[in-house]
Amino acid sequence: VTNYDAFAKAYAAENETSLLNAWYCRPAMLDLSGEVAGRRVLDAGCGSGPLTAALRDQGATVSGFDLSPAMVDLAGERLGDDADLLVADLAKALPYDDHTFDLVVSSLALHYLEDWIAPLTEFRRVLRPGGRLVVSVPHPAAYMFNYQDRDYFALTQYSEEFEFNGHKTVLTYWHRPLHAMTDAFTGAGFRIEVVSEPPWVPDTPRELLPADLGDRTAFICFLFFVLESP
Amino acid sequence: VSGDIPTAGAVGSDLSRPWQALSSGFEQARAREDSLDRLVEWPAQRELLGDVTGLAILDAGCGNGTKIVQLASDGAAASVGVDISGNFITPPPGVELIEGDLSDLAAVPGLAGRRFDRILFLQSFGYAADGVKALQAAREMLTEDGFILLTRTQPIRYAIERAEQNGTSLGEEYFATESFAYRHRNWNDQVTLTKRPYTMSDLLNTFSAAGLWIEAAVEPQMPAEAAERYPHKQAVMSKYLGILIFKLRPIPGRQAEP
């Protein structure tokens, strides 16, 4: 798993304003989370807490964890000392009681893991029956379109180089084909309620959008799922 | 809203009936030993169906009926195939092949009130006038432990093909909303299909809207031995992908949305 401590501040700064985070992924996660006022919500892989804070602003009682202590520190600065934030590993048992949450959100976190069953099983455990999980992951078609010589069908680890606020870093994650995603959800006992490939939000600054998009309102980037824990 | 519609590209005795021309073109293509249906799709579908002994099976969009006859010979009871072409092989006893529209299975002559353990939409779902309604009708015809087996071409495939043809970007084609003309070179290139584009979310959301959940999904690949024997077909699979197969069950205690 990528160590975020080394570039936590740079990543967090980028995340505040970038097209893919601020104008696409975060609003989509919020929209798919539905009405959260009065709900207990866990942000699994919260990073510096921008989504956690947005959910709290809408009236949710929020908890969050991240693997990176530096990220959790930044989330604490954002949310305040009394916020329920922990350093925890998505791949291991989570430090929460059974049936604690109405909603778990996990934005762009699962794709760092080879195995999805363990974390999804933990999400189910900490969700109340009837609770929901909202996740975003890289779109499986994006891998196909970006790397046309690679094998779409195989679960494959790959790396990409990014520059966050001027800091170059390499992120390493797992490609999995669509059926491997839906089978992992089913295997952990979730049911797919909604799959989403949403547009970016309408007030996105035009200069952030690629110049060649024409009149399109959507691009292939992430895939979003709303899952129910029956 | 309408399903994929074939139109004849030229006037002729055969092509004045485009469904029939399309159906027989498909069957001819399938009869070839290197057809992807034969090498990849049917084996994967058959594996998901498992033991069919004594089961009532409905093949919605059965083409000439070859697959439902195969299932009957594997032990299925009370097997029915429905296809709009009406171009059928002579069925053995115990198999009914009925000319009808899979868009509303309950309205197909002889099917009202019947129940099936397995309902199949094998590369036929795109022809339904309204996918949600077609699945709702099928859902109502399932027995208690029944499931629907549905296959659909990976939407990535059409995006890649059309981006190549049109010189456009993959994202542009993947999210296109205008219907497009499509010709199956291996079936009958005189028949033009008018296809609705769809994305992964379009397809998967159809299932939940019809009150169904995905118990299993498969993206079948070519077996290694076949890939070695037919490298040109393996190349097609690697570049364009193939189909998605879904095993769908009714969501318990939830009526389909109206």
Side-chain angles (χ1 to χ4, degrees):
Chain A
V1 173
T2 304
N3 175 12
Y4 269 85
D5 285 343
F7 57 93
K9 274 206 169 118
Y11 179 87
E14 171 83 14
N15 196 298
E16 291 305 313
T17 55
S18 77
L19 169 66
L20 297 184
N21 296 111
W23 303 97
Y24 180 54
C25 190
R26 197 151 58 239
M29 289 293 293
L30 278 173
D31 181 48
L32 293 168
S33 293
E35 178 61 58
V36 295
R39 301 283 173 103
R40 297 158 301 167
V41 180
L42 172 64
D43 188 351
C46 64
S48 64
L51 178 60
T52 332
L55 289 161
R56 192 178 68 177
D57 289 347
Q58 297 196 359
T61 303
V62 294
S63 302
F65 72 86
D66 200 274
L67 183 61
S68 157
M71 283 293 195
V72 174
D73 284 347
L74 289 170
E77 285 174 24
R78 185 197 301 271
L79 286 138
D81 290 341
D82 57 344
D84 179 20
L85 299 167
L86 297 170
V87 176
D89 187 345
L90 189 58
K92 299 193 174 134
L94 299 180
Y96 306 98
D97 291 337
D98 295 0
H99 306 166
T100 302
F101 299 102
D102 302 299
L103 172 71
V104 174
V105 296
S106 189
S107 189
L108 301 178
L110 279 173
H111 61 302
Y112 291 103
L113 304 180
E114 180 178 11
D115 171 52
W116 280 17
I117 293 291
L120 289 171
T121 303
E122 276 296 276
F123 290 163
R124 268 207 85 196
R125 182 184 66 75
V126 303
L127 275 172
R128 66 164 172 81
R132 284 187 171 78
L133 168 64
V134 179
V135 297
S136 60
V137 291
H139 197 297
Y143 180 80
M144 182 79 186
F145 291 170
N146 291 336
Y147 309 105
Q148 284 178 44
D149 55 333
R150 297 202 196 166
D151 182 1
Y152 166 84
F153 295 100
L155 178 66
T156 309
Q157 194 170 35
Y158 67 109
S159 296
E160 288 179 336
E161 195 178 82
F162 285 89
E163 201 175 299
F164 295 118
N165 236 22
H167 293 64
K168 275 193 180 156
T169 190
V170 174
L171 300 184
T172 298
Y173 20 68
W174 291 86
H175 160 75
R176 68 191 69 215
L178 179 64
H179 78 274
M181 296 182 181
T182 61
D183 278 359
F185 298 142
T186 301
F190 283 102
R191 284 192 198 128
I192 298 172
E193 223 166 59
V194 175
V195 183
S196 183
E197 296 162 307
W200 57 85
V201 289
D203 51 347
T204 303
R206 285 305 294 186
E207 66 270 21
L208 291 181
L209 293 168
D212 57 356
L213 280 174
D215 56 2
R216 283 164 59 196
T217 58
F219 45 59
I220 295 171
C221 187
F222 306 134
L223 194 59
F224 300 77
F225 295 90
V226 180
L227 307 160
E228 189 189 2
S229 176
Chain B
V1 179
S2 71
D4 297 348
I5 296 170
T7 48
V11 180
S13 56
D14 182 30
L15 296 175
S16 64
R17 305 173 72 213
W19 283 114
Q20 286 74 1
L22 195 71
S23 166
S24 64
F26 165 76
E27 298 298 349
Q28 280 163 28
R30 181 172 193 269
R32 293 164 51 152
E33 64 175 16
D34 67 345
S35 91
L36 286 178
D37 185 68
R38 186 182 281 259
L39 293 174
V40 180
E41 298 171 17
W42 176 238
Q45 294 156 8
R46 188 66 195 82
E47 190 180 335
L48 272 168
L49 284 171
D51 182 6
V52 295
T53 307
L55 298 180
I57 302 182
L58 170 58
D59 186 352
C62 66
N64 72 0
T66 301
K67 288 181 180 178
I68 193 68
V69 167
Q70 174 72 50
L71 293 170
S73 77
D74 291 350
S79 305
V80 178
V82 170
D83 200 275
I84 200 165
S85 73
N87 257 4
F88 300 127
I89 56 176
T90 305
V95 177
E96 293 168 73
L97 298 175
I98 305 171
E99 185 172 336
D101 186 349
L102 56 76
S103 298
D104 184 3
L105 290 169
V108 170
L111 290 191
R114 287 178 69 170
R115 293 286 176 274
F116 295 91
D117 301 299
R118 308 285 180 261
I119 299 179
L120 319 180
F121 290 87
L122 305 180
Q123 293 300 86
S124 61
F125 182 60
Y127 301 113
D130 180 324
V132 175
K133 282 186 183 162
L135 285 178
Q136 284 171 335
R139 179 184 184 271
E140 296 307 310
M141 296 172 83
L142 284 173
T143 56
E144 185 92 351
D145 193 39
F147 66 79
I148 292 169
L149 192 73
L150 182 149
T151 79
R152 193 85 163 103
T153 300
Q154 237 299 357
I156 296 173
R157 176 185 191 124
Y158 292 127
I160 295 173
E161 285 185 354
R162 280 153 47 222
E164 280 178 351
Q165 284 164 11
N166 301 336
T168 42
S169 76
L170 293 161
E172 187 176 342
E173 295 296 351
Y174 182 79
F175 285 110
T177 52
E178 297 288 316
S179 292
F180 62 98
Y182 190 86
R183 290 182 188 193
H184 282 280
R185 278 155 299 182
N186 296 334
W187 297 8
N188 186 331
D189 62 9
Q190 295 298 302
V191 178
T192 301
L193 271 168
T194 303
K195 281 186 179 288
R196 279 171 300 177
Y198 55 94
T199 65
M200 290 180 182
S201 56
D202 292 336
L203 178 60
L204 271 62
N205 289 333
T206 309
F207 306 152
S208 46
L212 299 162
W213 65 283
I214 302 168
E215 185 180 86
V218 174
E219 290 172 279
Q221 299 179 66
M222 194 171 290
E225 181 254 350
E228 211 164 284
R229 198 146 33 106
Y230 305 106
H232 63 294
K233 289 290 188 173
Q234 178 57 50
V236 169
M237 288 284 297
S238 299
K239 186 173 179 191
Y240 297 104
L241 311 184
I243 62 167
L244 287 153
I245 309 180
F246 300 96
K247 185 176 177 181
L248 305 170
R249 288 194 189 267
I251 298 171
R254 202 182 96 183
Q255 288 306 303
E257 287 160 27

